[in-house]
Amino acid sequence: MNTIHSRGGNQVVFSSINYGTDTSAEGRCVIRELLNSTYNGVGNGETAIFPIQIWKKKRGVNYLKGDRNYDLYELACKVTARRFFPNFLNLDATFNQSDAWRADDPKRYMHEVATMGCRTRVFENKFGMKTSVGRGNLSFSTINIVRLAIECMGIKNKEERINCFFAKLDKMLDVTAKQLNERYDFQKTAFAKQFPLLMRSLWLGADQLNPNDSIEAVINQGTLSIGFIGLAECLKALLGVHHGESDEAQKLGLKIVSYMRERCNEYTEKYHHNFSVLATPAEGLSGKFTKIDRKEFGVLEGITDRDYYTNSNHVPVYYKCSARHKAEVEAPYHEMTRAGHIFYVEIDGDATHNPQVIMNVVDMMDHYNMGYGSVNHNRNRCMDCGYENADAHLESCPRCGSTHIDRLQRITGYLVGTTDRWNSGKLAELNDRVIHGMGEKG
């Protein structure tokens, strides 16, 4: 179970739960009842927004026919087809495995990666046990790589233009790492008694702290993350094309993120903290950065001409391609962005009675070595009585007659009950989203 404190009294607590690998009779019972309850909905049959539910997919445990929990995996896909959750965490991805995992270990969950969602993956640990349990992300900061690329656009020679970009990126990475380290230096001054829940039993090693002890020894098990946004627009500025439409752009995109990963490894050694790269979802930041850059640099086609920058390393939401092509392009970035990432596809129509399409997406994650993924599909909700269905053209509620209809949408890795509170950038992105067919490239 992962959670963060609500920052305001009116905010739903952001929480998530990872499950699927407990093969005991009791564990299977809990998983089955959770899935059935999720399928039936809450209240008047509404889809629960939180907690985010995450299915831990593992070969030999729940993914292959004959696996002990395969029946629960089938049920999970059925539930996702109706309720969006659970999302899927691929424990078989090469970077999501631990050498300490053993099938006969009753505490094997200690060696299974778990995630809060697309923004908080914590597993590798330079200063302690490799685990997701009892650890968390301390701070993250995001770099506007689009702006760095725009500042280099005036250089006509391509090689010089790209070299200029990397020089700017290098300086910004140094500033960001220094800033995160300074934040850590402030965080470590806190005393254990200031966090009676976290520093009593939740964090690794917290049980060894006295009330007046500094939390430094414990929180250094956590992570500091450097994120990026708008790789597609960055590549457009540097090459005139993005990575979904050009092999050259994909090669440069991988070089950029790989370089960020290498520098984070260096910062881990320099500052003695766990640094990692985050594929920033940036619900608010995407529009904020764009407005600032458009004001200074004007409207640039394919770069600042929309109200948002694309989520991290994703193919632009407006780019028409198959789910398979999207997977081929985005998959290699998952291994590099170990602070958090997500792959998702938009499917058309009512998925409620087609759980096979969900299984197809999970198969795609397995095939392309992706870490975490989900599926978007149509789901309407009556905001007056809670009635839900998947009618693509629902204008009035068949139960109560209300015309107060909204669509459930996944903003990135989690759901929102209404789009009324979305900022202009994310609303523009929502309107630009296209369906991804399950066929080949095209």
Side-chain angles (χ1 to χ4, degrees):
M1 182 73 178
N2 297 289
T3 189
I4 58 174
H5 292 293
S6 172
R7 288 172 294 176
N10 63 338
Q11 181 178 328
V12 177
V13 174
F14 196 116
S15 57
S16 60
I17 182 169
N18 295 243
Y19 59 86
T21 56
D22 191 336
T23 54
S24 68
E26 297 84 357
R28 282 173 49 79
C29 179
V30 171
I31 293 170
R32 183 175 59 251
E33 293 308 309
L34 174 59
L35 287 169
N36 284 331
S37 176
T38 303
Y39 185 85
N40 292 328
V42 297
N44 293 321
E46 300 176 23
T47 297
I49 305 301
F50 288 105
I52 296 174
Q53 296 185 38
I54 301 168
W55 179 266
K56 298 195 293 183
K57 166 253 176 195
K58 178 71 175 175
R59 288 173 174 267
V61 177
N62 58 29
Y63 178 60
L64 303 175
K65 289 183 178 180
D67 287 349
R68 168 78 166 152
N69 283 4
Y70 183 76
D71 60 326
L72 297 178
Y73 168 59
E74 290 182 304
L75 178 57
C77 292
K78 176 183 176 182
V79 175
T80 297
R82 185 181 188 188
R83 300 295 187 183
F84 294 86
F85 291 145
N87 297 340
F88 294 89
L89 178 62
N90 183 13
L91 300 190
D92 296 309
T94 54
F95 49 86
N96 279 344
Q97 299 179 25
S98 170
D99 293 337
W101 190 92
R102 296 289 183 272
D104 59 353
D105 182 0
K107 290 189 175 182
R108 66 189 185 203
Y109 63 87
M110 292 292 294
H111 309 293
E112 295 174 354
V113 66
T115 181
M116 181 176 246
C118 54
R119 71 189 65 244
T120 307
R121 177 193 176 277
V122 177
F123 197 37
E124 295 78 18
N125 189 3
K126 183 79 173 177
F127 309 101
M129 178 181 175
K130 181 180 181 179
T131 184
S132 295
V133 178
R135 302 173 61 214
N137 177 258
L138 301 173
S139 302
F140 67 88
S141 295
T142 295
I143 296 174
N144 181 0
I145 61 174
V146 186
R147 184 182 183 88
L148 302 182
I150 292 174
E151 291 173 346
C152 302
M153 287 179 67
I155 302 174
K156 294 183 178 181
N157 181 279
K158 182 170 67 173
E159 183 177 353
E160 293 178 2
R161 183 166 63 247
I162 293 173
N163 288 340
C164 176
F165 168 81
F166 273 99
K168 288 177 176 291
L169 176 62
D170 203 49
K171 291 180 181 179
M172 190 57 66
L173 284 166
D174 283 340
V175 170
T176 307
K178 182 179 179 182
Q179 176 255 345
L180 286 169
N181 182 63
E182 290 180 355
R183 287 175 69 178
Y184 175 88
D185 285 341
F186 175 76
Q187 291 168 327
K188 73 181 184 183
T189 62
F191 299 112
K193 63 184 178 183
Q194 295 176 251
F195 307 95
L197 176 62
L198 290 174
M199 294 302 160
R200 183 173 298 153
S201 58
L202 292 184
W203 271 76
L204 285 177
D207 57 339
Q208 303 298 315
L209 295 179
N210 293 315
N212 290 316
D213 286 344
S214 162
I215 64 174
E216 179 179 8
V218 171
I219 65 170
N220 205 37
Q221 304 269 346
T223 60
L224 302 173
S225 303
I226 299 178
F228 65 95
I229 190 172
L231 180 64
E233 289 79 11
C234 170
L235 295 170
K236 192 83 172 178
L238 292 174
L239 298 176
V241 288
H242 61 71
H243 53 323
E245 57 188 352
S246 163
D247 290 340
E248 181 188 14
Q250 170 72 338
K251 184 178 179 180
L252 179 57
L254 292 172
K255 183 178 179 180
I256 291 170
V257 180
S258 176
Y259 182 74
M260 294 183 68
R261 168 75 186 278
E262 291 171 3
R263 292 307 314 276
C264 279
N265 290 341
E266 293 174 8
Y267 298 138
T268 296
E269 298 298 328
K270 177 179 180 179
Y271 294 110
H272 303 290
H273 307 312
N274 290 304
F275 277 84
S276 54
V277 178
L278 171 67
T280 304
E283 293 89 346
L285 197 58
S286 61
K288 181 179 181 181
F289 275 163
T290 310
K291 288 180 181 178
I292 294 172
D293 293 345
R294 183 190 297 152
K295 183 177 181 180
E296 181 167 347
F297 302 106
V299 177
L300 304 172
E301 183 181 357
I303 306 171
T304 62
D305 55 349
R306 288 179 167 84
D307 291 335
Y308 58 90
Y309 285 151
T310 301
N311 181 340
S312 61
N313 52 254
H314 285 195
V315 171
V317 297
Y318 56 82
Y319 182 65
K320 295 181 180 180
C321 67
S322 69
R324 187 165 301 279
H325 179 61
K326 189 174 191 289
E328 290 172 344
V329 173
E330 296 179 10
Y333 296 94
H334 281 213
E335 192 276 336
M336 302 178 198
T337 53
R338 299 195 183 189
H341 46 243
I342 191 170
F343 165 77
Y344 69 85
V345 296
E346 300 277 345
I347 62 175
D348 197 9
D350 186 358
T352 305
H353 305 294
N354 189 15
Q356 183 59 48
V357 73
I358 309 298
M359 300 182 84
N360 291 344
V361 172
V362 179
D363 289 344
M364 205 176 292
M365 292 175 57
D366 180 75
H367 179 75
Y368 289 107
N369 200 43
M370 286 186 281
Y372 183 60
S374 61
V375 178
N376 283 348
H377 50 85
N378 190 56
R379 193 77 185 163
N380 303 302
R381 170 185 289 175
C382 173
M383 300 304 291
D384 290 328
C385 75
Y387 175 83
E388 293 184 12
N389 73 6
D391 187 341
H393 305 289
L394 185 67
E395 295 182 358
S396 62
C397 176
R399 176 189 287 171
C400 72
S402 171
T403 56
H404 191 193
I405 306 296
D406 197 16
R407 283 191 300 163
L408 271 174
Q409 289 290 336
R410 189 187 303 278
I411 190 166
T412 44
Y414 63 95
L415 298 178
V416 290
T418 173
T419 57
D420 291 346
R421 299 176 184 174
W422 285 31
N423 62 59
S424 58
K426 293 306 289 187
L427 283 173
E429 188 222 79
L430 171 63
N431 293 329
D432 284 349
R433 292 179 183 179
V434 297
I435 300 301
H436 303 115
M438 298 301 289
E440 298 302 319
K441 184 174 177 174

